[in-house]
């Protein structure tokens, strides 16, 4: 199957999905009294390709499912508009409205694609990526940036055109659900999808919200914009001590044996980790190569002790040299850092959406020797372990689950009063579950240093459980706490410092 193409396999899958989606959305159309005004055919397809048979096919499927107008949304330059336009579908742009609207008028000439102007994705700021040098994107504390954003919105509205803010409400990439962009390295989105949005990740208003609200108010009837609710303060949770619960190696489950490594997809797995284990039968010495490249982050262990990390978030991942003797156990714990969800023809790389494989692709080599004979464990981690034997922790130990509990009380009837940002300040990298719900990844490199914990997950006057999978434990306890004001920061990567 070739994604985003007119291949029969992909079109059949796409149509099946859209038919099911329409079951949920059909009665929400404005023609039936709902809020759904328009339906988009693909998204920024012109940046990706120019298979017009594909987009026309989607147009025809959507016409049979919805009553509201269809539109396309592409970058505001000639080649993206040419790749994305579809006859009979309103062509729109995203990004800078000034250059984008001018490009739409200049390059889209089919009268069946012309009509009102819409900036279908006006970026309120941008996403964050994991990395010591990757700062948090926000307009907070930047009045010049806020004025620039407002000026763009006023430019659109003053001419009686339309704009859709992306994002208006920040979101969260729960569990392992964040995406990534391939830039000849893995640019992995952080757990937060706050995006510098007018309503932040927790749904609270920001200075940018009020600036946009004041601008929009000039172009709508007075009093037609309701007053927003007052922001409810987030709660603080005092330090919670987390103690070792069970080692990841004690939760492995059934193994698959193979001469060569199997990818995550060959294991029928979408997210999480895969552990590859080999027992040396001969002496091996040299540089370790985990298949064609790290897909995405490989922690290397010899006889249960960490010896290095090969991390594809770097353009030049670290080199790990090994010296194995017969009987030594080599383990490669491979983490899927996020599936690539965007690729552009101008990126200068291979078509990353067509190479989605995670785990190990190809042979593992040490020096010039191909390593054969693997025990493979699929670790999707859909839920944390319920119980386990206590384990000791030392520097270089394999991953360990830590556990702790806390109790809170509240006099408020609103779950928002229980909202907090959960931090694990002495952790290196891992995931956090609260009451069985996976809040997502943390990583000391930043910029994200705490995870949004919605009050709807917390129980009042009862025990709440925190489970942390720490991938690189080095101490007998960890600490977690809830912050009313989240902190963004970047720190050196201890594996690459």
């Amino acid at each position: 199957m070739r994604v985003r193409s007119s291949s029969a396999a992909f079109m059949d899958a796409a149509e099946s999905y859209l038919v099911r989606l329409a079951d949920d959305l059909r009665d929400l159309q404005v023609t039936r009294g709902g809020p759904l005004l328009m339906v988009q055919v693909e998204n920024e397809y012109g940046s990706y390709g120019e298979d017009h048979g594909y987009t026309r096919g989607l147009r025809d499927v959507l016409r049979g499912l919805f009553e509201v107008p269809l539109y396309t949304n592409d970058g505001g330059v000639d080649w993206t508009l040419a790749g994305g336009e579809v006859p009979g579908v309103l062509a729109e742009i995203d990004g800078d409205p000034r250059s984008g609207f001018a490009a739409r008028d200049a390059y889209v000439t089919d009268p069946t694609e012309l009509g009102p102007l819409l900036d279908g994705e006006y970026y309120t700021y941008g996403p964050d990526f994991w990395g010591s040098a990757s700062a948090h994107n926000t307009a907070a504390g930047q009045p010049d940036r806020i004025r620039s954003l407002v000026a763009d919105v006023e430019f659109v509205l003053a001419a009686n055109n339309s704009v859709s803010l992306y994002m208006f409400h920040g979101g969260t990439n729960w569990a392992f659900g964040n995406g990534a962009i391939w830039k000849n390295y893995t640019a992995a989105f952080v757990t937060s999808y706050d995006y510098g949005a007018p309503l932040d990740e927790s749904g609270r208003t920001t200075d940018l919200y009020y600036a946009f609200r004041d601008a929009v108010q000039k172009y709508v009837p007075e009093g037609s914009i309701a007053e927003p609710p007052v922001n409810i303060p987030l709660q603080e949770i005092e330090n919670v001590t987390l103690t070792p619960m069970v080692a990841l190696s004690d939760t492995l489950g059934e193994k698959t044996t193979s001469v060569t490594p199997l990818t995550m997809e060959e294991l029928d797995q979408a997210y999480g980790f895969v552990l590859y284990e080999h027992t040396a039968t001969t002496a091996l010495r040299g540089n370790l190569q985990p298949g064609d490249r790290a897909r995405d982050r490989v922690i290397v262990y010899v006889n249960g002790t960490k010896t290095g990390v090969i991390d594809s978030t770097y353009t030049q991942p670290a080199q790990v040299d090994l010296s194995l003797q017969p009987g030594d156990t080599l383990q490669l714990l491979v983490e899927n850092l996020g599936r690539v969800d965007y690729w552009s023809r101008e990126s200068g790389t291979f078509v990353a959406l067509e190479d989605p494989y995670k785990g190990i692709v190809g042979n593992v080599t040490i020096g010039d020797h191909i390593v054969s004979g693997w025990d493979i464990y699929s670790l999707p981690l859909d839920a944390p372990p319920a119980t386990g034997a206590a384990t000791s922790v030392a520097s270089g130990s394999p991953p360990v689950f830590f556990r702790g509990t806390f109790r809170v009380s509240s006099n408020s009837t609103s779950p928002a009063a229980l909202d907090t940002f959960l931090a694990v300040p002495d952790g290196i990298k891992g995931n956090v579950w609260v009451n069985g719900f996976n809040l997502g990844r943390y990583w000391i490199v930043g910029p994200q240093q705490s995870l949004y914990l919605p009050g709807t997950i917390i129980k009042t006057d009862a025990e709440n459980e925190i489970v942390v999978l720490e991938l690189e434990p080095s101490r007998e306890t960890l600490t977690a706490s809830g912050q009313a004001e989240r902190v963004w920061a970047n720190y050196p990567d201890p594996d690459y410092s």
Side-chain angles (χ1 to χ4, degrees):
M1 177 189 291
R2 186 180 180 191
V3 299
R4 301 182 86 177
S5 80
S6 55
S7 70
F10 186 73
M11 288 302 298
D12 288 346
E15 181 171 6
S16 176
Y17 170 78
L18 292 171
V19 168
R20 175 62 185 84
L21 182 67
D23 289 342
D24 291 339
L25 299 181
R26 188 174 291 109
D27 289 337
L28 296 177
Q29 296 175 93
V30 68
T31 51
R32 304 187 183 192
L36 200 160
L37 303 177
M38 303 167 72
V39 170
Q40 186 175 320
V41 179
E42 251 280 3
N43 181 57
E44 295 183 325
Y45 176 73
S47 296
Y48 180 82
E50 45 190 348
D51 181 348
H52 295 291
Y54 162 58
T55 50
R56 287 170 179 157
L58 289 183
R59 173 200 63 191
D60 295 343
V61 170
L62 291 168
R63 277 178 172 170
L65 296 173
F66 294 99
E67 302 154 5
V68 295
L70 304 181
Y71 74 104
T72 58
N73 191 78
D74 288 289
V77 293
D78 53 354
W79 62 274
T80 56
L81 288 165
E85 65 178 328
V86 182
V89 175
L90 181 63
E92 301 294 6
I93 61 91
D94 58 24
D96 173 23
R98 291 172 173 82
S99 61
F101 288 169
R104 204 291 297 261
D105 288 344
Y107 301 124
V108 177
T109 57
D110 184 336
T112 69
E113 301 169 11
L114 298 174
L117 289 167
L118 164 69
D119 191 332
E121 282 186 18
Y122 180 70
Y123 307 111
T124 55
Y125 216 104
D128 292 327
F129 298 93
W130 291 117
S132 295
S134 182
H136 173 50
N137 288 309
T138 179
Q142 300 186 57
D144 289 345
R145 175 63 177 170
I146 291 177
R147 281 191 289 270
S148 175
L149 294 168
V150 169
D152 283 348
V153 169
E154 291 214 47
F155 169 80
V156 173
L157 298 181
N160 200 30
N161 294 316
S162 300
V163 62
S164 175
L165 301 178
Y166 187 93
M167 302 280 291
F168 178 72
H169 189 324
T172 309
N173 296 309
W174 304 116
F176 302 105
N178 65 279
I181 297 176
W182 179 254
K183 300 181 178 181
N184 286 323
Y185 65 92
T186 302
F189 295 114
V190 302
T191 298
S192 171
Y193 209 69
D194 182 83
Y195 221 89
L199 293 184
D200 70 13
E201 186 176 358
S202 73
R204 288 162 172 81
T205 54
T206 66
D207 290 344
L208 182 59
Y209 169 85
Y210 287 101
F212 277 146
R213 185 178 185 274
D214 291 344
V216 172
Q217 184 66 72
K218 301 174 185 178
Y219 303 96
V220 298
E222 186 175 353
S224 61
I225 302 178
E227 287 293 327
V230 174
N231 286 341
I232 297 174
L234 285 79
Q235 71 161 329
E236 293 186 348
I237 298 173
E238 294 184 354
N239 286 348
V240 179
T241 299
L242 309 175
T243 57
M245 175 184 178
V246 64
L248 178 65
S249 59
D250 291 330
T251 69
L252 296 181
E254 186 176 346
K255 71 180 178 183
T256 299
T257 301
S258 177
V259 174
T260 57
L262 302 176
T263 66
M264 185 174 280
E265 293 72 25
E266 289 172 319
L267 296 169
D268 195 26
Q269 181 182 341
Y271 299 99
F273 303 80
V274 178
L275 178 65
Y276 301 85
E277 185 173 286
H278 169 79
T279 301
T281 58
T282 186
L284 298 173
R285 181 186 297 273
N287 178 255
L288 171 69
Q289 180 64 35
D292 63 345
R293 56 184 169 87
R295 294 174 178 249
D296 297 310
R297 188 172 188 268
V298 185
I299 308 180
V300 182
Y301 304 92
V302 175
N303 298 329
T305 299
K306 187 182 78 171
T307 60
V309 177
I310 306 173
D311 186 342
S312 71
T313 64
Y314 293 88
T315 54
Q316 294 183 319
Q319 301 291 306
V320 176
D321 293 320
L322 297 179
S323 178
L324 301 183
Q325 299 301 315
D328 284 347
T329 299
L330 170 66
Q331 293 175 310
L332 307 177
L333 182 64
V334 184
E335 180 181 3
N336 173 351
L337 289 177
R339 294 193 174 274
V340 172
D341 53 18
Y342 179 82
W343 179 84
S344 171
R345 288 184 278 161
E346 65 179 348
S347 69
T349 73
F350 59 83
V351 184
L353 286 185
E354 295 181 0
D355 183 21
Y357 307 105
K358 300 294 184 179
I360 295 177
V361 174
N363 289 311
V364 174
T365 59
I366 298 176
D368 58 2
H369 181 87
I370 295 175
V371 182
S372 300
W374 295 92
D375 292 337
I376 305 171
Y377 299 89
S378 176
L379 299 168
L381 298 186
D382 295 325
T387 58
T391 185
S392 60
V393 177
S395 179
S397 289
V400 170
F401 289 96
F402 289 76
R403 181 184 181 274
T405 62
F406 67 93
R407 298 174 71 94
V408 298
S409 299
S410 176
N411 297 320
S412 174
T413 59
S414 172
L418 298 173
D419 285 357
T420 192
F421 291 102
L422 194 74
V424 186
D426 42 7
I428 300 297
K429 191 179 193 306
N431 274 69
V432 178
W433 290 260
V434 173
N435 295 332
F437 185 85
N438 192 337
L439 298 182
R441 308 177 212 248
Y442 66 90
W443 196 353
I444 192 173
V445 296
Q448 183 172 1
Q449 296 295 334
S450 58
L451 299 169
Y452 175 47
L453 171 53
T456 51
I457 293 172
I458 295 175
K459 298 177 287 189
T460 57
D461 300 314
E463 188 175 87
N464 294 275
E465 180 187 58
I466 302 173
V467 174
V468 170
L469 171 62
E470 171 55 53
L471 295 174
E472 302 183 33
S474 61
R475 59 186 71 198
E476 286 292 340
T477 62
L478 294 176
T479 301
S481 63
Q483 301 173 344
E485 296 288 338
R486 82 184 312 173
V487 176
W488 301 88
N490 296 92
Y491 299 104
D493 185 342
D495 294 306
Y496 277 73
S497 299

